Amino acid sequence: AQTVTQSQPEMSVQEAETVTLSCTYDTSESNYYLFWYKQPPSRQMILVIRQEAYKQQNATENRFSVNFQKAAKSFSLKISDSQLGDTAMYFCAFSRDNYGQNFVFGPGTRLSVLP
Amino acid sequence: SAVISQKPSRDICQRGTSLTIQCQVDSQVTMMFWYRQQPGQSLTLIATANQGSEATYESGFVIDKFPISRPNLTFSTLTVSNMSPEDSSIYLCSAQGSGNTIYFGEGSWLTVV
């Protein structure tokens, strides 16, 4: 069975600075998908970024980028120029496919951006 | 993108009663899912809602406790039956939207007293 671990229950960062959230996973699959979701206090889960395991290039979305290390089974999220609106729970997730089946979520990291 | 609406957004329920949560998507989607998020915890998949057939439940979840309907490609319901305080959670509906992206509703926060 797949497992997803986020070793940082809580983190904080000053506004405009950079922060990296860690995620490791365990799987025997060779191809899979990794995701970072953000859940602000409104509870709406929002997709931040997605990585396909067969792609070597790290995904980027504006201020958000990932460091995907397939051999190490590591998938960290870097947030640059942190903004107050980035304050949220961040969940790392694994899926064997791109269709939402078999989603496994990590325990989450609570990020606070401080003014 | 897909916009997902859930009702109710929040409810307080009496022990032993049942509550049905509705999930409406603004476009036709193939896959719909129901998750539970217990207080302070991560999301756990309850089941995949299949259109025109019985839902596919994950280990630890059964149809008698969490009956699910999916009458068409835009709508699903989850019923939490014979509720106990342990069922107090956020229940989230999700769906596969365009570009194979998974979208979530805002969740339904149930408190059982």
Side-chain angles (χ1 to χ4, degrees):
Chain A
Q2 286 76 25
T3 59
V4 178
T5 303
Q6 293 176 250
S7 59
Q8 306 148 316
E10 293 190 33
M11 294 189 73
S12 62
V13 62
Q14 292 295 135
E15 196 175 5
E17 293 189 348
T18 296
V19 64
T20 299
L21 309 184
S22 301
C23 173
T24 58
Y25 59 94
D26 187 27
T27 183
S28 57
E29 304 284 338
S30 58
N31 194 28
Y32 46 86
Y33 299 80
L34 297 163
F35 307 80
W36 279 98
Y37 276 88
K38 164 186 175 181
Q39 188 180 41
S42 67
R43 303 198 310 264
Q44 178 82 58
M45 290 281 283
I46 302 165
L47 177 66
V48 175
I49 201 164
R50 174 176 58 189
Q51 175 81 40
E52 297 168 34
Y54 66 87
K55 290 187 176 178
Q56 300 211 352
Q57 186 173 6
N58 289 325
T60 62
E61 286 288 344
N62 301 314
R63 298 183 295 108
F64 299 89
S65 62
V66 298
N67 183 5
F68 174 48
Q69 302 288 329
K70 190 172 184 180
K73 296 180 180 174
S74 170
F75 182 61
S76 60
L77 174 70
K78 185 171 83 172
I79 305 174
S80 304
D81 186 25
S82 297
Q83 301 176 359
L84 296 178
D86 295 333
T87 293
M89 282 289 289
Y90 286 81
F91 292 99
C92 179
F94 169 101
S95 177
R96 293 205 304 264
D97 58 59
N98 205 19
Y99 305 104
Q101 291 179 294
N102 304 302
F103 248 60
V104 177
F105 283 88
T109 296
R110 184 176 302 280
L111 176 67
S112 298
V113 180
L114 308 174
Chain B
S1 65
V3 177
I4 302 176
S5 304
Q6 283 186 237
K7 288 194 293 188
S9 62
R10 184 187 291 258
D11 207 341
I12 299 174
C13 308
Q14 294 294 319
R15 184 191 303 244
T17 63
S18 299
L19 183 79
T20 295
I21 303 167
Q22 299 179 2
C23 177
Q24 179 74 55
V25 188
D26 70 342
S27 58
Q28 291 187 342
V29 293
T30 305
M31 311 292 287
M32 293 183 73
F33 309 90
W34 287 98
Y35 285 85
R36 181 173 72 183
Q37 185 178 23
Q38 294 181 302
Q41 296 190 26
S42 187
L43 284 74
T44 301
L45 180 64
I46 297 172
T48 302
N50 301 310
Q51 196 265 329
S53 64
E54 196 171 279
T56 304
Y57 290 84
E58 298 299 306
S59 175
F61 298 97
V62 296
I63 187 171
D64 290 346
K65 176 67 175 176
F66 298 101
I68 288 171
S69 77
R70 176 95 190 269
N72 56 50
L73 293 176
T74 64
F75 186 78
S76 178
T77 66
L78 168 74
T79 298
V80 186
S81 303
N82 187 25
M83 287 185 283
S84 67
E86 293 71 35
D87 295 321
S88 297
S89 287
I90 299 170
Y91 293 86
L92 294 111
C93 172
S94 75
Q96 178 197 0
S98 60
N100 292 331
T101 299
I102 305 304
Y103 296 91
F104 286 83
E106 291 184 353
S108 299
W109 194 334
L110 302 188
T111 302
V112 184
V113 297

